[in-house]
Amino acid sequence: MLFQELVRALAVVEATTQRTAVVRALATLLRNAEVGEVDKVVYFVLGDLKPPWVGLELGVAEKLCLRALSKASGISLSELENWYKRLGDVGEVARRALASRRGGLVASRQKPLEVTEVYDTLVKVARATGGGAQDLKISLLTSLFARATPEEGKYIARFVVGKLRLGVADMTLVDALSEAFGVDREAVERAYHLHPDMGKIARHVAEGRPLGEIKITVGVPILPMLAQRLSTASEILSKLGGSAICEYKYDGERAQIHLSGGSVKIFSRRLEDITHSYPDVVKAVREAVSAGEAILEGEIVAVDVDTGEMLSFQELMHRKRKHDVSTAVEMYPAELYLFDLLYVDGEDLTREPLIYRRVRLSEVVEEREGVHIAHWRLFDNPEEVDLFFHEATSLGTEGLICKSPLSTYEMGARGWNWIKYKVDYRSEMVDTVDLVVVGAFYGRGKRTGVYGAFLMAAYDPTGDMFYTVCKVGSGFAEADLKKLYDMLQPYRIPQRHPRVSSKLEADVWFTPGVVLEVVGAEITLSPLHTCCLGSVKPGVGLAVRFPRFTGRYRLDKSPEQATTVGEMLDMYKRQRKVQL
Ligand code: ATP
């Protein structure tokens, strides 16, 4: 197919406001293309040379494109840069430059461009790396611009700088394909969900092969299932038919993990290959999963290196770097919480009920450091769901994802079989609190030999008791931990102090004596802590979420002068609530 023909269709698509007209134009285009170039036409329309997980990027900035245009048109770079400043669209600059060529590189024979030729040249541009890559990219682009008509140049320029922006979604192409080749739309969609490479599917259809041949392929991400959202446990349970598998909603990055004979690939929610960011997760998965081939889903979460506690999503974002990944791995360790198994050793489990997939997941995964199975329970009572929800949020997760136990895995769909139950506001803890150390947990890693985290309590003057509000492990320098270990030695007792009320079992207990200043993200409800138990809601107390030692030892305060439970309750009620 001549490139002109493709460009004419792109212009129609761009000028149309009606979706049906867009679908019609694309269907005609696909029908007119040769079988062997249908995939290339599709990639052009979508604005990418390959599907996202292949990670083939053109690496062409506006400046580089303008340099190629300058060579091809004979118009100086500075003049083109001025045009670009004025017009703001590299495509329009290309069109005008090629329409008013002043010599420049004149192509030997003005043979019109073919789709395949343009596509193959652009793949070469993308693959050019290392020394001399810039020059090679420029000369390849110059050769295209030299032969392009002004209109063709416009689309080539926009494509290479990543600004084609035709607004054609994959689903529009599903419709166009089904119209062009008379195949069932749902079959195209299902094939696309299993193998979201539109170019490949178009070629398959154009070759007249049955779509049923397209199967889950280890190494090719499938479109992830998404969740709806509701705000009360009773609504959620009734929507799910009375009972639900409720799982902690971990706050990290979604990961689809493909394992094949010891090689592991991790794909993001947007189908990009993110394996290079997580070598630690790759290693842990290899050790934990006992299957030759598997596709698993989970959430990667940042954890505190010393205490193992979960950290917020922002911490994990430090891992998103291209260079020096090993330092990032050390500084910002991450763990994986698996919540689904979609494929194992030749078996496609996506059409099996969730409860069965969960059982199979626990059969193939042996939990260990770095790999866990997402914490879950089956409930049919809203009060129990609420308790579990408060437990989840107080541990640093975002809430729960409640799932229908009998649901299949609905690829690419945001249906009502998965429902998010999350806090719809974030409170801000404005003030610090002074809390009493009543227990401690042994450290691991660098904290072996000292305590890794401390059980902290607020004071209740009415009953002269101490009630726990958090386990704090963050904010301590190495020297603090050593100092606290020695400082707490005289307070150590063999069991919980009678003036301490705690649901958690500490490794070591202390007589209330040492007071530390702590700050957190907010005060939340939690069934794990005893502070103000039942005051706001039956069965739940108050807790500090994401607590951190500020560095201030309140040696000037006796434990009875610590923050009181009444103050905690006031602070909880006064918190500024920020809508998310
Ligand atoms: P969405 O992914 O639904 O488009 P979003 O990016 O805003 O929207 P959230 O609203 O935070 O995400 O919730 C959905 C996400 O929660 C999932 O995509 C997944 O990354 C994450 N998640 C955490 N724990 C679980 C779990 N147990 N089951 C499913 N998803 C989970």
Side-chain angles (χ1 to χ4, degrees):
M1 175 183 267
L2 289 183
F3 191 60
Q4 277 166 22
E5 207 175 323
L6 171 62
V7 161
R8 263 198 300 276
L10 297 186
V12 170
V13 168
E14 204 179 18
T16 315
T17 49
Q18 273 184 321
R19 189 175 183 276
T20 45
V22 171
V23 171
R24 210 174 317 120
L26 292 176
T28 312
L29 178 69
L30 293 171
R31 243 190 326 259
N32 291 345
E34 304 271 329
V35 171
E37 60 191 6
V38 164
D39 45 352
K40 292 163 190 163
V41 168
V42 165
Y43 294 133
F44 258 114
V45 171
L46 289 174
D48 273 315
L49 288 172
K50 294 273 175 196
W53 63 90
V54 178
L56 188 67
E57 281 168 25
L58 275 151
V60 174
E62 272 84 358
K63 177 104 189 210
L64 196 145
C65 182
L66 293 181
R67 276 165 67 192
L69 272 172
S70 163
K71 288 194 170 190
S73 66
I75 301 172
S76 74
L77 179 61
S78 59
E79 196 169 344
L80 291 183
E81 279 174 339
N82 281 338
W83 292 7
Y84 179 54
K85 261 189 223 136
R86 199 153 39 84
L87 298 167
D89 169 16
V90 74
E92 201 44 38
V93 174
R95 196 183 64 77
R96 293 189 189 196
L98 298 180
S100 44
R101 286 175 220 255
R102 301 172 196 158
L105 187 99
V106 179
S108 47
R109 271 173 51 221
Q110 287 297 327
K111 197 160 77 70
L113 289 167
E114 302 264 348
V115 168
T116 302
E117 218 180 346
V118 178
Y119 180 85
D120 292 347
T121 309
L122 293 182
V123 168
K124 281 190 203 143
V125 172
R127 296 222 163 108
T129 50
Q134 296 292 80
D135 290 341
L136 182 56
K137 283 179 199 277
I138 291 175
S139 80
L140 287 164
L141 283 179
T142 307
S143 71
L144 283 183
F145 285 134
R147 283 176 50 203
T149 63
E151 199 61 12
E152 288 174 335
K154 171 171 126 185
Y155 286 100
I156 294 175
R158 283 189 189 160
F159 188 92
V160 296
V161 301
K163 291 197 178 140
L164 190 60
R165 298 207 182 124
L166 290 175
V168 173
D170 289 347
M171 283 308 123
T172 320
L173 270 162
V174 167
D175 287 342
L177 261 180
S178 131
E179 189 173 316
F181 298 100
V183 279
D184 178 44
R185 190 196 176 281
E186 264 163 37
V188 181
E189 192 173 342
R190 163 125 187 122
Y192 175 70
H193 287 161
L194 280 171
H195 198 118
D197 178 343
M198 200 41 104
K200 187 180 154 121
I201 299 213
R203 175 91 172 245
H204 197 92
V205 172
E207 283 169 358
R209 289 160 60 194
L211 281 164
E213 280 178 10
I214 294 180
K215 299 260 180 328
I216 283 198
T217 314
V218 179
V220 176
I222 64 175
L223 276 195
M225 177 163 175
L226 303 172
Q228 287 283 2
R229 182 171 174 164
L230 284 174
S231 47
T232 67
S234 46
E235 276 177 300
I236 293 176
L237 283 182
S238 62
K239 196 86 188 170
L240 293 174
S243 67
I245 287 183
C246 298
E247 301 173 351
Y248 278 10
K249 182 179 186 312
Y250 298 92
D251 188 12
E253 176 165 30
R254 186 165 183 165
Q256 197 181 102
I257 296 160
H258 290 227
L259 172 82
S260 173
S263 122
V264 174
K265 278 196 173 170
I266 307 178
F267 301 106
S268 71
R269 153 118 167 54
R270 307 185 58 189
L271 313 179
E272 280 148 353
D273 187 336
I274 49 169
T275 317
H276 68 278
S277 296
Y278 299 112
D280 46 346
V281 176
V282 167
K283 181 165 175 285
V285 164
R286 223 180 263 139
E287 288 163 3
V289 181
S290 58
E293 281 198 321
I295 302 179
L296 309 114
E297 256 203 324
E299 188 89 353
I300 299 177
V301 185
V303 289
D304 186 301
V305 63
D306 301 306
T307 63
E309 281 166 43
M310 283 184 267
L311 298 175
S312 67
F313 168 74
Q314 282 77 7
E315 291 297 315
L316 189 71
M317 289 306 101
H318 294 293
R319 293 287 292 269
K320 301 263 127 195
R321 49 163 94 165
K322 284 216 166 104
H323 305 291
D324 209 6
V325 171
S326 55
T327 313
V329 168
E330 218 169 277
M331 287 176 65
Y332 308 99
E335 304 205 327
L336 172 67
Y337 288 85
L338 290 165
F339 53 76
D340 222 319
L341 177 67
L342 308 177
Y343 174 93
V344 64
D345 292 328
E347 253 185 286
D348 175 352
L349 298 182
T350 57
R351 291 185 170 178
E352 300 292 344
L354 173 64
I355 191 93
Y356 177 72
R357 303 202 302 275
R358 273 307 209 140
V359 171
R360 296 294 300 273
L361 178 66
S362 45
E363 281 168 5
V364 303
V365 175
E366 196 179 306
E367 293 188 74
R368 60 187 60 229
E369 208 176 311
V371 179
H372 311 274
I373 291 189
H375 194 49
W376 69 286
R377 301 266 300 275
L378 182 66
F379 292 115
D380 55 13
N381 167 332
E383 281 84 54
E384 284 177 343
V385 174
D386 272 329
L387 275 185
F388 197 56
F389 171 81
H390 295 310
E391 174 187 303
T393 50
S394 69
L395 289 173
T397 74
E398 283 191 305
L400 303 176
I401 302 244
C402 305
K403 303 179 178 178
S404 154
L406 297 179
S407 59
T408 57
Y409 189 88
E410 295 157 17
M411 286 168 267
R414 192 185 291 284
W416 286 100
N417 281 323
W418 283 17
I419 304 178
K420 305 183 237 194
Y421 185 21
K422 54 181 192 177
V423 261
D424 49 7
Y425 59 83
R426 179 136 304 156
S427 315
E428 279 182 2
M429 186 170 163
V430 182
D431 214 353
T432 57
V433 283
D434 298 319
L435 302 174
V436 188
V437 186
V438 295
F441 302 86
Y442 287 121
R444 47 180 219 181
K446 271 193 282 155
R447 295 190 177 180
T448 313
V450 290
Y451 303 124
F454 302 89
L455 186 59
M456 309 300 291
Y459 180 60
D460 174 16
T462 324
D464 187 30
M465 287 284 288
F466 294 90
Y467 292 94
T468 70
V469 285
C470 65
K471 196 173 146 186
V472 61
S474 300
F476 298 98
E478 235 169 90
D480 287 318
L481 294 172
K482 177 82 188 63
K483 180 168 161 178
L484 272 166
Y485 189 84
D486 296 338
M487 191 189 276
L488 286 164
Q489 211 47 17
Y491 296 95
R492 209 171 148 153
I493 45 173
Q495 68 274 318
R496 183 175 48 76
H497 193 276
R499 285 169 71 210
V500 170
S501 159
S502 172
K503 287 196 195 176
L504 294 181
E505 203 45 52
D507 294 337
V508 178
W509 293 103
F510 304 112
T511 304
V514 174
V515 181
L516 301 177
E517 188 180 79
V518 170
V519 70
E522 61 174 321
I523 298 173
T524 57
L525 296 175
S526 166
L528 300 177
H529 290 285
T530 53
C531 175
C532 303
L533 191 65
S535 301
V536 181
K537 244 185 184 185
V540 281
L542 294 181
V544 178
R545 189 161 186 250
F546 293 131
R548 185 166 42 80
F549 174 49
T550 62
R552 279 187 76 190
Y553 294 84
R554 299 305 309 257
L555 301 179
D556 53 326
K557 281 199 166 181
S558 72
E560 289 76 19
Q561 289 168 340
T563 300
T564 65
V565 293
E567 285 173 307
M568 288 291 297
L569 189 58
D570 279 350
M571 283 176 77
Y572 172 74
K573 290 182 180 157
R574 275 189 287 112
Q575 274 180 144
R576 208 157 63 83
K577 295 195 162 54
V578 186
Q579 289 296 326
L580 286 181

